[in-house]
């Protein structure tokens, strides 16, 4: 037993770039004691075992070298959780699965990350979010009193705050920070949201804008394409949020123009029609335009054209998901490839959400067209 523990301690210490003195100070023992353990001249007192495992962010089983079965179990749990998350159905089973896993694997970041995702989705499914308007204001306001009672989002915050203290990838960190800022704001914790946001890098120094400057020739072309896709996505997010949180009729009317202009920008960049993940973005832009055109401008014919374009892009998006490595081909993004399995899945209630906000008369005209039958399934 001491040989396994000693070898494991040395391996973990070297993995983390730590000295024997660092571990000794953390445990309250002498550096000589750590040296003896690693040299197989003895082993730690049993009361030190949990502290050593915690220091290296592993389980006690892993410290003793008995991690194979646990790793297989962990992999099985994560695979099942991924399938449930991708289905975007009722998240109750997924939350229960990952809560139990978090008890068993408290130091495993991926369990907690996926639990946070599931809690976020469950919060939307069980409670949703509310907002309200104020007389004389053209803006919507979060109903913090209602939203803050969402027990799933309360747990999501606790989980994600813990995850941000752990060793996770920059990609995971970016997503979690974005989700935390959004849920903080929705629940009225704007000071926390602003503090977290202000501590992040400026768009000027983000990875997407810096990689093209750090490379050359074909490699630079690839990173420039990735930057275009990423920045275009964020531009869409900002414009949609800006338009959708203003309530004045003039803002809604101008909003239609902005949605369509942005859609045309997408179509200019993806000039050959191979839009990849942007098919989904284009679907949402045209659906926003259709809803606003039908509700505020009362232009049914134009709204129908926007709806049809949105529907077509949704069909194209569905047809490319999980079909292998997706290769963009328009000039500005021709060097970019992306695994289509990583394109976000679409909620089974996607069409229900859009159909519900359409005017009744326009909704019936859509229902009467057999091409759009799936929107009402």
């Amino acid at each position: 037993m001491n040989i396994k523990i000693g070898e494991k301690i040395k391996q973990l210490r070297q993995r983390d770039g730590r000295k024997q003195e660092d571990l000794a100070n953390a445990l309250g023992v002498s550096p000589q004691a750590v040296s003896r353990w690693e040299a197989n001249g003895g082993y730690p007192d049993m009361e030190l075992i949990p502290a050593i495992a915690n220091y290296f962010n592993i389980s006690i089983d892993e410290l003793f070298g008995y991690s194979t079965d646990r790793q297989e179990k962990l992999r099985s749990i994560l695979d099942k959780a991924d399938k449930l998350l991708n289905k975007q159905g009722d998240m109750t089973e997924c939350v229960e699965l990952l809560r139990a896993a978090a008890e068993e694997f408290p130091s495993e970041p991926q369990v907690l990350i996926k639990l946070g995702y599931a809690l976020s989705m469950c919060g939307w499914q069980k409670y949703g979010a509310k907002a309200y308007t104020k007389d004389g204001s053209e803006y919507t306001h979060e109903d913090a009193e209602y939203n803050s009672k969402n027990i799933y989002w309360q747990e999501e915050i606790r989980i994600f705050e813990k995850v941000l203290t752990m060793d996770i990838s920059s990609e995971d960190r970016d997503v979690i920070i974005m989700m935390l800022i959004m849920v903080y704001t929705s629940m009225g914790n704007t000071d926390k949201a602003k503090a977290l946001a202000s501590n992040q890098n400026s768009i000027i120094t983000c990875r997407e804008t810096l990689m093209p400057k750090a490379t050359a020739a074909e490699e630079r072309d690839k990173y420039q394409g990735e930057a275009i896709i990423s920045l275009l996505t964020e531009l869409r997010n900002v414009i949609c949020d800006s338009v959708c949180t203003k309530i004045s009729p003039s803002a809604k009317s101008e909003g239609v123009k902005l949605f369509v202009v942005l859609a045309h920008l997408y179509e200019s960049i993806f000039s050959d029609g191979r839009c990849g993940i942007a098919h989904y973005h284009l679907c949402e832009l045209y659906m926003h335009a259709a809803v606003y055109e039908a509700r505020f401008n009362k232009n049914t014919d134009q709204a129908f054209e926007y709806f049809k374009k949105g529907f077509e892009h949704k069909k194209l998006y569905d047809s490319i998901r999980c079909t292998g490595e997706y290769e963009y081909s328009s000039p500005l993004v021709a060097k970019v490839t992306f695994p289509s399995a990583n394109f976000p899945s679409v909620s089974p209630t996607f069409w229900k959400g859009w159909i519900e906000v359409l005017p009744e008369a326009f909704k019936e005209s859509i229902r009467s067209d057999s091409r759009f039958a799936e929107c009402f399934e």
Side-chain angles (χ1 to χ4, degrees):
M1 180 174 68
N2 62 321
I3 293 176
K4 288 184 178 181
I5 292 178
E7 290 177 353
K8 190 67 175 180
I9 288 174
K10 184 176 181 179
Q11 175 191 351
L12 292 166
R13 183 177 58 76
Q14 291 176 340
R15 179 200 70 182
D16 295 346
R18 291 169 174 171
K19 300 177 181 178
Q20 290 179 339
E21 290 84 353
D22 297 330
L23 177 58
N25 290 335
L27 299 175
V29 300
S30 68
Q32 291 78 14
V34 176
S35 179
R36 282 198 305 274
W37 302 339
E38 294 185 0
N40 301 324
Y43 57 90
D45 292 338
M46 289 306 296
E47 60 264 26
L48 289 176
I49 297 300
I52 294 172
N54 186 62
Y55 181 79
F56 291 116
N57 199 31
I58 62 172
S59 68
I60 292 175
D61 280 352
E62 289 174 287
L63 183 61
F64 278 92
Y66 303 142
S67 62
T68 302
D69 290 344
R70 283 176 58 82
Q71 289 303 311
E72 287 297 324
K73 183 177 182 181
L74 173 61
R75 189 175 301 110
S76 175
I77 290 171
L78 293 176
D79 287 346
K80 183 175 181 180
D82 279 337
K83 291 176 182 177
L84 292 171
L85 287 166
N86 287 333
K87 284 176 64 178
Q88 293 196 21
D90 188 331
M91 283 291 111
T92 303
E93 179 185 356
C94 191
V95 167
E96 291 175 353
L97 170 73
L98 291 167
R99 278 177 177 160
E103 290 288 331
E104 186 172 357
F105 302 94
S107 300
E108 175 50 55
Q110 284 304 312
V111 169
L112 298 178
I113 289 170
K114 294 182 192 305
L115 175 56
Y117 294 163
L119 288 165
S120 176
M121 294 170 66
C122 209
W124 279 105
Q125 292 171 349
K126 304 294 186 183
Y127 293 93
K130 288 185 178 181
Y132 61 90
T133 60
K134 293 180 178 179
D135 291 342
S137 172
E138 66 171 342
Y139 302 100
T140 58
H141 301 267
E142 301 287 351
D143 188 343
E145 182 178 358
Y146 173 84
N147 297 337
S148 62
K149 296 176 182 176
N150 190 317
I151 56 175
Y152 296 99
W153 289 352
Q154 292 170 6
E155 187 178 354
E156 174 196 352
I157 287 175
R158 293 194 296 271
I159 292 294
F160 279 155
E161 287 178 339
K162 178 179 179 179
V163 169
L164 288 182
T165 69
M166 304 171 79
D167 183 17
I168 59 176
S169 70
S170 59
E171 290 80 6
D172 284 335
R173 188 172 298 276
D174 288 346
V175 173
I176 290 168
I177 287 171
M178 179 188 68
M179 292 181 69
L180 261 179
I181 288 171
M182 292 174 66
V183 74
Y184 279 153
T185 303
S186 182
M187 298 175 74
N189 297 324
T190 53
D191 288 343
K192 279 190 173 183
K194 288 189 288 188
L196 185 56
S198 66
N199 285 333
Q200 308 313 310
N201 289 336
S202 161
I203 193 171
I204 299 170
T205 59
C206 70
R207 180 180 64 250
E208 288 81 0
T209 58
L210 290 178
M211 286 304 293
K213 303 181 192 312
T215 52
E218 185 172 344
E219 189 178 19
R220 178 177 58 201
D221 194 8
K222 171 181 178 292
Y223 285 119
Q224 284 174 330
E226 290 180 356
I228 287 170
I229 294 172
S230 295
L231 294 173
L232 191 58
T233 300
E234 293 311 310
L235 177 62
R236 176 194 70 103
N237 291 340
V238 171
I239 287 179
C240 286
D241 285 347
S242 180
V243 174
C244 293
T245 54
K246 289 196 174 206
I247 61 174
S248 65
S250 60
K252 301 303 185 185
S253 180
E254 290 299 315
V256 174
K257 297 177 184 177
L258 286 170
F259 293 140
V260 174
V261 166
L262 187 51
H264 290 167
L265 175 59
Y266 266 95
E267 291 163 346
S268 296
I269 290 172
F270 302 100
S271 54
D272 61 358
R274 289 183 51 78
C275 306
I277 195 172
H279 281 302
Y280 183 78
H281 301 161
L282 280 160
C283 167
E284 289 205 321
L285 286 169
Y286 279 120
M287 290 308 301
H288 276 302
V291 171
Y292 279 28
E293 194 72 48
R295 292 185 62 182
F296 300 104
N297 295 344
K298 312 298 183 183
N299 189 337
T300 303
D301 290 342
Q302 187 61 67
F304 187 86
E305 290 303 311
Y306 292 149
F307 186 95
K308 184 170 68 172
K309 287 187 176 182
F311 180 83
E312 290 168 352
H313 279 291
K314 170 66 164 51
K315 297 287 284 185
L316 286 168
Y317 183 71
D318 290 340
S319 72
I320 63 173
R321 280 198 72 249
C322 301
T323 56
E325 195 74 7
Y326 188 86
E327 298 181 358
Y328 292 90
S329 49
S330 297
L332 291 179
V333 294
K335 299 298 181 183
V336 179
T337 62
F338 196 81
S340 62
N342 291 346
F343 286 161
S345 59
V346 181
S347 169
T349 60
F350 175 85
W351 285 119
K352 179 182 178 183
W354 287 108
I355 294 297
E356 284 180 346
V357 296
L358 289 171
E360 283 300 322
F362 185 71
K363 186 188 304 185
E364 289 307 312
S365 69
I366 298 296
R367 190 193 301 272
S368 65
D369 193 318
S370 60
R371 290 176 297 178
F372 308 125
E374 69 183 69
C375 300
F376 297 89
E377 294 175 353

